[in-house]
Amino acid sequence: MDGCFSHSAWSLVRVVLWRQQYSPSKNIIIWVPDYFCNSSLRLLRALNANLIFYPINHNLEPDYKACRDLAEETPPDIFVLVHYFGCPTLAASTKDFCAKHNAWLLEDAAHVLRPVSGVGKYGDFIIYSPHKLLPLPDGAVLIIRSDGPGQFDTEKLHNFGPNSAWTKDLSSQEILERVPVQNSIKYNAEWLFKRIIQKSGLGPKHKVSEFIETGKEDVKALALIKPELSYLSRILLGTLRNTLADVVRTRKRHQLLWDHVLVEESNLKLLSLASRPKQREWTPYMAAFATKNENIGLRIFESLESHGLPVTTWPDLAPEVCANRDLHENAWKLRHSRFYLPQHQSLRSKDILNAVFQLYTGNVSRALEQFDLKFNATREQWNSMMYQVGQSNLLQSWAYGQSKSKIEGWKVSRIVICKFKKPVAFAQILEKQFAFFRLIRINRGPLLLEDSNPEMQEDVAKLMVKKLGGWKKGRLFIFTPELPLTGKILVLM
């Protein structure tokens, strides 16, 4: 079963109210990780729910030893497990813990773009917040599973009612009288206006959060709209559903760019990368960077802020956590040793590079005179080099060039790039003359013969552009290089 809400905070309220149906006279105990946004708990506090903040370890997982001790006094009715920043958190042990204490397990996947391995496998409930990763004014999804620790059979699932009634029930609750709720039409109109202003480049300067946690609520940041998913978001979700693969690809590229310009090439040598996905196993929510301690973190944070970078902190810790730093030591350290940069798909690579221009040192330019080009390699030489290079591709094969020449009339040139007269790379070039210019194409090349270190890749790519391109020469050069997807290569491109 699944249903839609305007915000995931309403999903939490919905689950708590269901739990209260089983124990009407009891004040429901909700366990929340101490590394959690306090603003997301506003509605639960309005319900007078009993919030218990359990400690997490440095891997952003529950500290099960501390949890066992805590459960001796106040066992949970609902256990909230967070998949931080899109990265799946191991949940098997949590499911066993919840089953032992007759607790419902809620997997908070608000930072997760779409279902991935390790997310939504163990919980009774899973919540997603697509509006946090997609251009939507609002939007949250609540999913109920039958094989979580609660073991919901058909009768129990029936007690949750039809999903069409989930938000209607919330709208009739007294909680709406305790929390300021905006009209969705007004809220969406303001959101659209802000989007237009941002796209025009006339938006207000980025508001930087405080690096040192105060434990105070920012009331202005707590505005909510009614529980129902707005009509505008419902329409936009339908149009964005088929773009998720593009979102994943764009966010991964932005992550690589931030990593390269801030860690590999900048003067900020005290930074390290927080969790990163291998291949595309999950989609990062924000670009997370770690420092050794609070002092270093504050210094780098202020440096980035002074250069106008859109740097933020996360989360706004709950007052209960700030008041007991000994018990919640890891949460406090994580909050004050990490900062985050955006990588949403509306960003452009150019925007990221411009933002870090004053921090980015770049490579010292190297002379290209040490390279030269030799044209018209023989078939024997070409096949030998294709064998030598190891990882080649069809578009650089001799037979492909022959086919393009015979079928489409391209002139084919095969060049060898030499450094100090030693062959280091080769490329197949396609040419065609038009009225006022000559079109030159390289598809998936050049291929490097020896150590494909970043400097060699960069030099060969620059050489191709310098030697083969140029409007003054009457040439239009279309270049699709055979290069790995790294931050350095993205900067080069």
Side-chain angles (χ1 to χ4, degrees), residues 131-342:
H131 77 95
K132 293 187 176 181
L133 295 106
L134 299 173
L136 300 167
D138 60 277
V141 178
L142 172 65
I143 297 173
I144 304 177
R145 299 176 67 253
S146 60
D147 54 351
Q151 292 295 302
F152 299 145
D153 55 22
T154 303
E155 181 180 351
K156 290 182 179 179
L157 290 174
H158 180 74
N159 291 336
F160 294 130
N163 54 10
S164 59
W166 292 356
T167 55
K168 293 179 181 178
D169 292 346
L170 289 178
S171 299
S172 64
Q173 295 290 325
E174 294 181 0
I175 189 174
L176 293 178
E177 300 176 2
R178 307 174 201 163
V179 179
V181 177
Q182 292 187 15
N183 179 278
S184 60
I185 297 177
K186 178 183 177 183
Y187 180 86
N188 288 349
E190 292 176 352
W191 178 85
L192 276 174
F193 179 74
K194 290 178 182 178
R195 290 282 298 176
I196 294 171
I197 294 297
Q198 289 172 355
K199 289 291 185 181
S200 68
L202 301 175
K205 185 178 178 181
H206 167 71
K207 180 182 178 182
V208 180
S209 53
E210 295 292 336
F211 188 77
I212 303 300
E213 181 61 72
T214 62
K216 297 180 180 179
E217 289 186 346
D218 182 359
V219 178
K220 294 181 179 179
L222 300 175
L224 289 170
I225 62 175
K226 290 186 177 181
E228 298 85 357
L229 178 67
S230 69
Y231 178 75
L232 176 60
S233 288
R234 198 176 292 275
I235 296 299
L236 291 176
L237 270 174
T239 63
L240 294 170
R241 184 172 51 187
N242 297 325
T243 68
L244 296 186
D246 293 332
V247 172
V248 172
R249 181 167 54 252
T250 301
R251 283 179 170 269
K252 179 180 179 182
R253 290 185 173 222
H254 289 165
Q255 180 80 80
L256 292 171
L257 272 175
W258 283 124
D259 292 351
H260 179 71
V261 297
L262 288 183
V263 177
E264 299 172 27
E265 291 288 348
S266 76
N267 295 317
L268 304 175
K269 303 301 181 183
L270 298 175
L271 274 183
S272 61
L273 305 180
S275 56
R276 293 291 186 269
K278 297 176 182 178
Q279 301 301 323
R280 294 185 181 182
E281 57 185 352
W282 50 274
T283 304
Y285 172 54
M286 293 188 291
F289 296 91
T291 59
K292 290 184 178 180
N293 56 52
E294 181 178 312
N295 293 331
I296 295 174
L298 176 61
R299 190 164 74 246
I300 295 178
F301 183 88
E302 291 178 342
S303 174
L304 297 177
E305 177 189 357
S306 66
H307 285 88
L309 269 72
V311 60
T312 60
T313 58
W314 192 92
D316 54 321
L317 295 176
E320 295 91 334
V321 175
C322 295
N324 193 344
R325 289 173 52 178
D326 292 334
L327 177 62
H328 305 291
E329 180 181 8
N330 283 327
W332 183 267
K333 285 183 178 179
L334 286 166
R335 168 61 178 78
H336 295 92
S337 62
R338 293 188 176 196
F339 60 83
Y340 306 88
L341 287 157

Side-chain angles (χ1 to χ4, degrees), residues 433-451:
Q433 182 68 47
F434 291 88
F436 302 107
F437 65 92
R438 177 172 290 273
L439 177 62
I440 301 175
R441 294 174 57 189
I442 295 182
N443 291 328
R444 300 281 303 276
L447 302 176
L448 272 69
L449 286 165
E450 52 181 44
D451 181 23

Side-chain angles (χ1 to χ4, degrees), residues 65-80:
K65 182 181 182 304
C67 287
R68 286 191 293 269
D69 295 339
L70 194 60
E72 292 181 2
E73 297 183 8
T74 51
D77 295 305
I78 299 173
F79 190 108
V80 178

Side-chain angles (χ1 to χ4, degrees), residues 45-59:
R45 293 186 187 278
L47 279 178
N48 295 319
N50 188 357
L51 294 173
I52 302 296
F53 295 91
Y54 66 85
I56 62 167
N57 59 29
H58 63 281
N59 292 323

